[in-house]
Amino acid sequence: MTDHTFDLVVLGGGSGGYAAALRAAELGKTVALIEKDKVGGTCLHRGCIPTKALLHAAEVADGAREAAAYGIRATLEGIDPRGVRSYREGIVAKKYKGLEGLVKARGITVVAGEGSLEAGPAVRVGDDLYRGTDVILATGSYSRTLPGLEIGGRILTSEHALELDEIPSSVVILGGGVIGVEFASVWQSFGAQVTIVEALDHLVPNEDLALSKALERAYRRRGIQYSLGVRFQSATQTADAVTVTLEDGKTFTADYLLVAVGRGPATAGLGYEEAGVALDRGFVVTDERLRTGVPHVWAVGDIVPGLQLAHRGFQQGIFVAEEIAGLSPVLIPDTQIPKVTYSHPEVASVGLTEAQASDRLGADGIVAYEYNLAGNGKSEILGTSGIVKVVRQKDGPVLGVHLIGDRVGELITEGQLAVGWEAHPEDIAPFIHAHPTQSEALGEAFLALAGKPLHAL
C-alpha cells in the first residue's frame, strides 16, 4: 500500500469535481482528481453534450423538412444513425481533449480507478490511499428506474438510448421531465412515433404552468402524443416490442421504452456512511456551505439535495475550492440557477414560478405578465411561437423569468441577472435590446411591468 498526500483530493471527475480541481489548482493547491471512467463525467460523455448534439441534428432534419417554407429547395432523404453518432462522438471527443489539456496544464494528478472514502480524510483506490487536507465528494448520479421495472433489452435509460444504432419507428417515454421531453423531441424529428407517459398533470411539471401548457400545445402540433396524470403500472417486452400498462388499464406498445424518471445520487458502496458522512435517501447531508458533518469533507453536485444540473455542480465545485482557500465566496441558491430544457421549442426559467411567488407573497402581492413571441420580429423570422413570462413582487423586484420558444435558452442569463440582483422592472426598462433579437421580447415584458408597454396593449 502506498500513501499519497495532497492539499485536496476530489472523488469524482464530473462537472462539480473537475471544476473544484481546476479552481483549487489555480489557487495554488496540490490536487488529486479520482475518476473511475473519464474526466467530464455524465454531462460530457453521456448527458448534456451528446444529447444536445442529437437535438441539433434533429433541428437540422426539421430545417431540411421545412425548407420550402423559406423558399429553399431541399429534401430530407432520411436519417443516417451512424452519421449522427459520428457527429455526436466527434463533439464529445473534442471537448474531452480540451478538458484533459486544462487538467494537465494545471498540474492536477488524475487517478484512474474507483475510489471509496475513508477516515482521515482520505480516498482509497485499490491498494493506494490518497490523503487530503480536504476531500470533496463529487460522485454524481445515475438513471433511476421504478420498482419492478428492470432495465434491459428494449427497456432503456438515456445512456442506452444514446447508443442505439437505429432510429426507432415508435417509442414510449416514461417521464415527462427534462430528459423525457428532450428525447421525445429528437425522436419525433427523426421520424419516430412518440408517446410520453407522465404521472403528474403536466409535462415539465417543475416549470411555471404557463410553460407546461405551452409545451403541451407545441407537442400536440408536432404530433407527439402524451398521457398525463395516470401512473405507470407495468411493462412487458418481447423480442420485437414493449407494452406499457398504466394503472387505469390503458396500454401503449412501441419498439422501445425509455425510462426517464429522474436521476439518483451515486453514493452507495463508496464508504460515505462508514467514514461518518450522513446520508438522507442516498443524498449527502451538508450545511449551507456544502460541508458534511465530517471535518474537511465537502460535497458538491448531484449528490447534494436540490437541482441536478451540471452548471449547479460546476458552480458548487468552484465555491468549495474558494471556501477552502478562505475566499468567502457567494453560493448561488437554487432559485437563482437557470434551467433550460433543449426541446423544440426550448423551455428556460429562473426564479419563482407564479404559483410559488403567490404562495410566498399572496396573490395580491405579485404581478405576472406574459408577452407572446408572435409580436417579436426575430421569432417570426425563425418561425417559432412561444411566450416570455415575468413575475415580480408588486412594486418590487423581479422574482421569476420563464420562457418558451426556439433558442430562448440563450436569453435566460439576462433573467438570472434580473432575479439575482433583485432588479425592479423600472430599473431594467431603460436598457435597450438590439433589434431584431428575441431578447426584445424580454425587454417588452420588463417595459410592460414598468407600466410603459411599447408593442403590447
Side-chain angles (χ1 to χ4, degrees), residues 164-389:
L164 279 182
D165 286 326
E166 62 175 300
I167 304 300
S169 62
S170 59
V171 185
V172 173
I173 298 175
L174 184 57
V178 174
I179 296 172
V181 300
E182 287 187 351
F183 270 96
S185 190
V186 167
W187 276 325
Q188 184 74 18
S189 295
F190 284 172
Q193 295 179 331
V194 180
T195 302
I196 303 171
V197 174
E198 170 55 54
L200 297 178
D201 292 334
H202 292 284
L203 298 180
V204 288
N206 292 327
E207 298 290 349
D208 189 275
L209 184 59
L211 302 193
S212 294
K213 290 183 175 180
L215 184 65
E216 289 161 13
R217 290 193 296 270
Y219 272 22
R220 280 198 301 270
R221 289 194 295 270
R222 292 187 62 193
I224 297 174
Q225 304 297 311
Y226 47 84
S227 167
L228 303 174
V230 182
R231 291 182 177 275
F232 163 87
Q233 179 172 288
S234 64
T236 57
Q237 61 175 308
T238 66
D240 303 315
V242 180
T243 298
V244 175
T245 303
L246 305 188
E247 287 185 347
D248 64 358
K250 197 169 187 179
T251 62
F252 303 94
T253 298
D255 290 352
Y256 290 97
L257 168 63
L258 172 64
V259 181
V261 293
R263 297 184 65 84
T267 56
L270 299 179
Y272 289 3
E273 290 183 293
E274 293 82 351
V277 173
L279 301 181
D280 180 11
R281 292 167 298 147
F283 290 96
V284 176
V285 177
T286 72
D287 66 11
E288 70 282 356
R289 307 296 286 182
L290 298 174
R291 292 174 292 218
T292 72
V294 177
H296 297 284
V297 177
W298 313 72
V300 301
D302 286 0
I303 61 174
V304 178
L307 296 174
Q308 291 181 313
L309 298 169
H311 47 283
R312 173 181 179 258
F314 188 86
Q315 194 272 342
Q316 288 182 341
I318 295 170
F319 171 88
V320 170
E322 294 182 349
E323 183 81 351
I324 290 170
L327 300 182
S328 300
V330 174
L331 181 65
I332 304 300
D334 277 7
T335 54
Q336 294 178 20
I337 295 174
K339 301 176 293 183
V340 182
T341 302
Y342 296 88
S343 49
H344 168 43
E346 287 184 355
V347 176
S349 65
V350 66
L352 301 180
T353 65
E354 182 176 359
Q356 290 168 338
S358 181
D359 288 344
R360 182 175 297 186
L361 299 171
D364 295 335
I366 65 168
V367 179
Y369 179 80
E370 293 183 20
Y371 180 81
N372 197 304
L373 290 185
N376 177 257
K378 187 59 179 289
S379 296
E380 186 72 21
I381 291 166
L382 294 173
T384 186
S385 59
I387 59 172
V388 168
K389 180 174 182 176

Side-chain angles (χ1 to χ4, degrees), residues 45-84:
H45 299 285
R46 298 173 298 279
C48 318
I49 298 302
T51 56
K52 277 51 179 182
L54 278 184
L55 283 154
H56 181 63
E59 182 182 7
V60 172
D62 287 334
R65 190 180 287 116
E66 299 161 4
Y70 302 93
I72 306 298
R73 295 176 182 173
T75 57
L76 179 64
E77 295 182 5
I79 309 298
D80 174 11
R82 290 185 180 180
V84 172

Side-chain angles (χ1 to χ4, degrees), residues 126-197:
D127 292 331
D128 288 354
L129 196 63
Y130 294 83
R131 300 185 184 276
T133 304
D134 290 272
V135 169
I136 298 177
L137 308 177
T139 44
S141 59
Y142 64 92
S143 292
R144 288 187 186 273
T145 187
L146 297 177
L149 182 56
E150 185 175 346
I151 303 299
R154 293 186 171 272
I155 301 177
L156 316 172
T157 65
S158 59
E159 291 90 343
H160 302 124
L162 280 172
E163 298 303 317
L164 279 182
D165 286 326
E166 62 175 300
I167 304 300
S169 62
S170 59
V171 185
V172 173
I173 298 175
L174 184 57
V178 174
I179 296 172
V181 300
E182 287 187 351
F183 270 96
S185 190
V186 167
W187 276 325
Q188 184 74 18
S189 295
F190 284 172
Q193 295 179 331
V194 180
T195 302
I196 303 171
V197 174

Side-chain angles (χ1 to χ4, degrees), residues 81-103:
R82 290 185 180 180
V84 172
R85 184 186 185 117
S86 177
Y87 158 69
R88 169 175 60 81
E89 290 178 344
I91 296 293
V92 172
K94 288 179 182 178
K95 298 298 101 182
Y96 179 48
K97 184 177 181 180
L99 179 57
E100 282 188 308
L102 276 174
V103 170

Side-chain angles (χ1 to χ4, degrees), residues 18-28 106 108 317-319 321-322 327:
Y18 85 69
L22 288 173
R23 183 61 178 132
E26 188 176 55
L27 292 169
R106 295 277 170 84
I108 296 166
I318 295 170
F319 171 88
E322 294 182 349
L327 300 182

